[in-house]
Amino acid sequence: MEQQVLQLLAATLESAPETRTNAERHLEQLYTNDAFPISLISIASHHSVEPPLRQAALLVLKTFVLRTWSQSLEEFQQGVTITDATKDQVRQSLLALATSGDQERKVISASSYVVSKIASVDFPEQWPSLLPTLLQLIPRSHENQLHGVLVVLGNLVEDGFDEEQFGKSAVELVKCIYDIAIDEEKKLTSRALAISIFRACFDTMELMYQTDKASVRQFMQEASDAWTPFFVSVLKIPLPRIPTDEQEDEAGPGSWRGIVALKTQVVKALDKIHRLFPHLLSQHTLSLFSTVWESLQAHAGPYVTLYVTDNQQGRLEDADRLPYTLDFLVIEELDYLQTLFGSVTVKRELDAQLAPDKISNGALEGTWIAQIMAILVGYSQITQEDEGLWNFDVNVFLSEETSETANYSPRNASTSLVQKLTKWPVLESLLGYTKTTFEAAPSSNARPKEAALFVLKQILDELDSCSAEVDQILARAYLEYVGLAMRDEDEFLRARGYIVAARLTTISSAGLLDVVPEYAQQTLNIIDQDDSDVVKVSCVRSLQEYLKTLPSSRAREFQVQTVAAISNFLSSQDLSELKESEDLLDTLVETLRDAIMADPSLCLEHPALDVLFTMASYGASSFQTTMLVNEAFESITSSMAAKGPDAYSQLCAKVLPTLTGALDVGDMTSENALSDMAVSLLSSLAEHGLKPLPQNFVATVMPKLYRLLFSSNDFSLNQSATVTIRHLLSRDADQVFSWQDPATGKGGLEIVLLIIDRLLGPDVDDASAAEVGGLAVELVEKAGADRLGPYLMQLLRIVAVRLSTAEHASFIQNLVLVFARLALTNAKEVLDFLAQVQVEGGAGGTGLEVVLRKWLEHSVHFSGYDAIRQNIIALTNIYKLHDERLAHIQVQGDLMVDNSSRIKTRSQSKRTPDRYSIIPVPLKLTKVLISELTNPLTPSTPGLMQNKLSGDSDDEDGEWEDEPNIVDLGNPTTTAELMAYADEAKWNVHQVDDDTQSYLVDFFKQASTEPDFENLYHSLTDEEREKLHSIDNKQSAQ
């Protein structure tokens, strides 16, 4: 079989797509053969096989394992069952390969990855020997074998352990990797790998710390005491001489690459410890600060030589993901120094050194603040690589300038650090360094000058964000050097000059507001005059500062000039490349938006709208650009509408042909993004329109929207078009109902009904139909039962049926609110109607059962004040009916909590999904309404909760100030929590307003007097009863 598999693997590497596809299909057909995975491992183990084929075998094996090994793996697919005997053979053979000491590192890495995936579901129950085997191999492995063992162990620590498993082996594990790390006979990269594993252990220990603080604290303190002296000794190792290109890959005991990799892992480990458990290193804080400081000073010269003077490639990692270039080491040192600046001990020492009695004549030269400014300016210099990229693509320059880049460099790290220093006299210190740099540096070397102004800009931004004062004498002194930069021959220094000029002159406390018009005019002029695109876009961006600061009368004057400057700049560009230049487009749109905001009503007098729509057409596929264009257009629309019907009609006459034309172009070219942009702008135009809308507005827009909704499957486009029609109904329902489609002869009411029927059909997914509920509600309210006639019941039946299959929370809310809005005034009629509807399928039953189950299960996740208020009132109306039919409907109740303290992983959730109790509708309805009550005994202000939580600490972090914690994005737990928070914050903002709270309190006060409520009360949880009691107590106290 091996020969057959080998031939198929070779075919997967062929260039012909059909050959590759056929080979991949044949390989998948072999999944059911028990010998298949063994053959793949055998091929990967043979040194006689070409390395690409060995790697291909492991890649296929990885896919095989992910799809067939265990249901706990996300990529698992039903259909193939692997026998226990085969699994055991795969585990042993694969581990042997991963720890064999093979010279092909990619083979070791690939096999180790598959081992970690298997271990994530099999260890320790099905693979108890894995960790003992690895720990036994470590002390007796030869160098190449040790590398494989460490790679497997690292993957296991990162992905395969839970807290319980780690706790049983932590002491032996940490001891083994410590012995490797300190062994100077081992390869530097192996020692660096050992430190990397030690650092990864802290993520698991952080989880364990939550449940067993005493034991974990003792273990970590012992480990820290052992490792810290070693870490300090590594930090003090001087870098060897900068290697030549031929020497760089050498792996000797004193190799540049190995020492940089080792030192980088040490700094990363120390930073991780300080971030997670700062008390462990409290006694070493000052010595670590001093050591890292000295390292940064020592590394500045080699860094400038390698990356600023020469053009050495940076940001390099080896096959084991170990960074080994100096720029990575510098970044880690700068970040760690930033962490150490949060120490009270460090701050106290630094403050003492700047005390008046320690400074001769008040001069800062030679002090630590002067030294750190020199360090930061040195590391902020533009590298040769950056200069080449920025000259090639100005979009890259802008992404760096706005810090919206994944290219985290020493320049970016210096920015983060300098913002921590603004409590000290950084402006005074930097001024002296800037003066020296501008006067001493040769005219041909503009990099130090640009870097000094770059650091100045970061300081000014931080001071302004904190509303701190900027000394006027210092500001005017800096302005002299800014002026020199603006006139310099170097384009990057010239660009920096204009950027800093805008920042410096627009800070009110700097006392330079009188020169803002002059500098704004210079900036405008240079956009047309300068030959450098870097300078031009810097000036375009700088105009944003001026436009926000200029007096309104002067800002209006600049509006016309700004629009003209942007228009001229656009005409000089290759517009076909703009689609790929998102940052450039965003900068142009932002500046145009700020110019428009000076007086939106002036847009009809100059081509601002034409320029905006031109950029919108090229940036339609960019979310950020689309948002900025919508924001600008919304401001124009609301401003014109506020001026009255004539102004709004003029705006519509100007923009409707362009927007509908864009829809035609998007339709012909199948560019959904362009159509979506145009529909979004139409939606803003309709939303802010006056009642009634201008004549023929509906006739111009509706045919386009009707065609889109019946031809497009793009969810965003469908949502925007649906919302636009809802706005049309809201603003001028009569014009919609009186319109007749010339193509079909159907009236407006029938067209809207057809659209709703299409969106609620089984062929349209939840995301595309997300806004149809709001459209249905608007139609019912505007048309009324008389005009809708029999269509009303048919419409509600379709909504109920579609609700039975809906899964997305926002879509469910949208559909439920159709019935909630009706229940505000006709609750009994809604229940009677739903009881007559039959819903087919697995989740079927009567419409009453289907709707109430979905309604009550998702009600607590509804968002939006209006939606929550309407939902609560509708539910109370249903409760007040005391309808006997509701008691016979069973719905999802409370979560049945597992008492285990073990954190539930994703794979464990798949094996043991959450379970809920089953309760009748009246009880669930009561629970839902109670959950909407705000407990008066619970602080509602986040700050109060934070203070309470901080008071529960162990007082072990008193060494560190109460500053916002530095988030460790490398920690998978932190990342998951942030993502969950971001998702919740964006989509599930569930807050109840005060009026609705009062309504709920009155409701429960009345309901508690009814006989039926007593039975429900006894079925509530203790927390729910306590919430009712606390509200009752509050009422009594008042």
Side-chain angles (χ1 to χ4, degrees), residues 42 200 276 383 774:
S42 178
L276 297 183
T383 64

Side-chain angles (χ1 to χ4, degrees), residues 9-30:
L9 290 173
T12 63
L13 302 180
E14 294 289 334
S15 57
E18 185 176 353
T19 303
R20 290 200 312 271
T21 303
N22 288 335
E24 290 167 358
R25 186 173 62 253
H26 284 305
L27 285 169
E28 290 178 5
Q29 292 171 357
L30 295 174

Side-chain angles (χ1 to χ4, degrees), residues 217-365:
R217 186 188 296 117
Q218 180 181 353
F219 170 76
M220 291 188 302
Q221 190 64 64
E222 292 174 355
S224 174
D225 290 343
W227 284 78
T228 303
F230 162 66
F231 285 161
V232 173
S233 68
V234 171
L235 291 177
K236 291 182 177 180
I237 298 175
L239 289 177
R241 181 175 299 179
I242 296 176
T244 62
D245 292 341
E246 294 77 16
Q247 297 171 331
E248 187 173 358
D249 292 332
E250 292 180 359
S255 71
W256 171 278
R257 179 169 172 171
I259 288 179
V260 169
L262 184 67
K263 291 168 77 73
T264 301
Q265 291 306 313
V266 165
V267 180
K268 288 168 73 75
L270 285 168
D271 199 20
K272 172 65 75 67
I273 297 171
H274 254 127
R275 288 168 186 261
L276 297 183
F277 306 105
H279 63 282
L280 296 178
L281 298 174
S282 295
Q283 60 180 326
H284 305 287
T285 299
L286 278 179
S287 63
L288 287 169
F289 181 84
S290 176
T291 304
V292 175
W293 180 290
E294 292 169 0
S295 294
L296 279 169
Q297 289 179 311
H299 299 162
Y303 175 83
V304 171
T305 300
L306 286 170
Y307 305 111
V308 179
T309 304
D310 295 335
N311 190 16
Q312 293 294 321
Q313 188 173 0
R315 295 186 290 275
L316 296 179
E317 297 180 342
D318 64 15
D320 302 317
R321 296 176 298 169
L322 289 178
Y324 64 84
T325 49
L326 181 60
D327 57 332
F328 269 135
L329 173 56
V330 168
I331 289 171
E332 296 300 334
E333 290 175 332
L334 287 168
D335 286 347
Y336 186 37
L337 198 65
Q338 180 183 346
T339 301
L340 291 171
F341 265 107
S343 165
V344 173
T345 303
V346 169
K347 289 184 176 181
R348 189 182 299 121
E349 174 63 24
L350 296 177
D351 285 338
Q353 293 185 23
L354 292 180
D357 60 325
K358 297 290 182 65
I359 302 177
S360 176
N361 298 322
L364 295 171
E365 289 84 355

Side-chain angles (χ1 to χ4, degrees), residues 604 609-610 613 633 636-637 647-665 677-687 689 693-705 724 728 735:
L604 298 180
L609 286 169
D610 296 329
F613 290 156
F633 188 68
I636 296 170
T637 304
Y648 179 76
S649 296
Q650 291 176 27
L651 176 65
C652 292
K654 182 175 179 64
V655 303
L656 277 177
T658 302
L659 296 179
T660 53
L663 287 177
D664 292 335
V665 171
M677 169 78 81
V679 173
S680 296
L681 297 177
L682 282 173
S683 181
S684 293
L685 191 64
E687 180 182 8
L693 293 171
Q695 189 176 4
N696 293 324
F697 191 110
V698 172
T700 303
V701 172
M702 274 296 288
K704 312 286 185 182
L705 300 176
T724 304
L728 294 178
Q735 189 175 156

